[in-house]
Coordinates of all heavy atoms in Angstrom, one line a residue:
Y250 N 3.5 8.8 -5.6 CA 4.4 9.5 -6.5 C 4.1 9.0 -7.9 O 4.0 9.8 -8.8 CB 5.8 9.1 -6.1 CG 6.9 9.9 -6.9 CD1 7.5 11.0 -6.4 CD2 7.3 9.4 -8.1 CE1 8.4 11.7 -7.2 CE2 8.3 10.0 -8.9 CZ 8.8 11.2 -8.4 OH 9.8 11.9 -9.1
K254 N 2.6 11.1 -11.0 CA 3.4 11.3 -12.3 C 2.7 10.9 -13.5 O 2.8 11.5 -14.6 CB 4.7 10.4 -12.2 CG 5.9 11.1 -11.6 CD 6.5 12.1 -12.5 CE 6.9 13.4 -11.8 NZ 8.2 13.8 -11.9
F416 N 4.6 2.0 -14.8 CA 5.1 2.1 -13.5 C 6.6 1.9 -13.4 O 7.3 2.6 -12.7 CB 4.4 1.0 -12.6 CG 3.1 1.4 -12.0 CD1 2.1 2.0 -12.8 CD2 2.8 1.2 -10.7 CE1 0.9 2.4 -12.3 CE2 1.6 1.6 -10.1 CZ 0.6 2.2 -10.9
N417 N 7.1 1.0 -14.2 CA 8.6 0.8 -14.2 C 9.3 2.0 -14.6 O 10.4 2.3 -14.1 CB 8.9 -0.4 -15.2 CG 9.0 -1.7 -14.5 OD1 9.2 -1.8 -13.3 ND2 8.7 -2.8 -15.3
E418 N 8.8 2.7 -15.6 CA 9.4 3.9 -16.1 C 9.5 4.9 -14.9 O 10.6 5.5 -14.7 CB 8.6 4.6 -17.2 CG 9.4 5.2 -18.3 CD 8.5 5.5 -19.5 OE1 8.2 4.5 -20.2 OE2 8.1 6.7 -19.6
V419 N 8.5 5.1 -14.1 CA 8.5 6.0 -13.0 C 9.4 5.5 -11.9 O 10.2 6.3 -11.3 CB 7.1 6.4 -12.5 CG1 7.2 7.4 -11.4 CG2 6.2 6.8 -13.6
L420 N 9.4 4.2 -11.7 CA 10.3 3.6 -10.7 C 11.7 3.9 -11.0 O 12.5 4.3 -10.1 CB 10.1 2.1 -10.6 CG 9.0 1.5 -9.7 CD1 9.0 0.0 -9.8 CD2 9.1 2.0 -8.3
R421 N 12.1 3.8 -12.3 CA 13.5 4.0 -12.7 C 13.8 5.5 -12.5 O 14.9 5.9 -12.0 CB 13.6 3.7 -14.2 CG 14.2 2.3 -14.3 CD 14.3 1.8 -15.8 NE 13.5 0.7 -16.0 CZ 12.6 0.5 -17.0 NH1 12.4 1.5 -17.9 NH2 12.0 -0.6 -17.1
E422 N 12.8 6.3 -12.8 CA 13.0 7.8 -12.6 C 13.2 8.1 -11.2 O 14.1 8.9 -10.8 CB 11.8 8.5 -13.2 CG 11.8 10.0 -13.2 CD 10.4 10.5 -13.6 OE1 9.9 10.0 -14.6 OE2 9.8 11.2 -12.8
M423 N 12.5 7.4 -10.3 CA 12.6 7.7 -8.8 C 14.0 7.3 -8.3 O 14.5 7.8 -7.4 CB 11.5 6.9 -8.1 CG 10.1 7.4 -8.3 SD 8.9 6.4 -7.4 CE 9.1 7.0 -5.7
I424 N 14.5 6.2 -8.9 CA 15.8 5.8 -8.5 C 16.9 6.8 -9.0 O 17.8 7.2 -8.3 CB 16.1 4.3 -9.0 CG1 15.2 3.3 -8.3 CG2 17.6 3.9 -8.8 CD1 15.1 2.0 -8.9
E425 N 16.7 7.2 -10.2 CA 17.7 8.2 -10.8 C 17.7 9.5 -10.2 O 18.7 10.1 -9.9 CB 17.5 8.3 -12.3 CG 18.2 7.2 -13.1 CD 17.6 7.0 -14.5 OE1 17.0 7.9 -15.0 OE2 17.7 5.8 -14.9
N426 N 16.5 10.0 -9.8 CA 16.4 11.4 -9.3 C 16.5 11.5 -7.8 O 16.4 12.5 -7.2 CB 15.1 12.1 -9.8 CG 13.9 11.5 -9.2 OD1 13.9 10.7 -8.3 ND2 12.7 11.9 -9.8
G427 N 16.8 10.3 -7.2 CA 17.0 10.3 -5.7 C 15.8 10.2 -4.9 O 15.9 10.2 -3.6
E428 N 14.6 10.2 -5.5 CA 13.3 10.2 -4.7 C 13.2 8.9 -3.9 O 12.8 8.8 -2.8 CB 12.2 10.3 -5.7 CG 10.8 10.3 -5.1 CD 10.6 11.5 -4.2 OE1 11.2 12.6 -4.4 OE2 9.8 11.4 -3.2
M429 N 13.7 7.8 -4.5 CA 13.6 6.5 -3.9 C 14.5 6.5 -2.6 O 14.1 6.0 -1.6 CB 14.0 5.3 -4.8 CG 13.7 4.0 -4.3 SD 12.0 3.6 -4.0 CE 11.4 3.1 -5.6

Side-chain angles (χ1 to χ4, degrees):
Y250 186 95
K254 270 285 139 125
F416 274 49
N417 267 336
E418 218 168 282
V419 184
L420 275 180
R421 265 177 240 130
E422 184 186 307
M423 291 178 79
I424 290 165
E425 274 158 27
N426 69 12
E428 183 64 28
M429 190 61 85

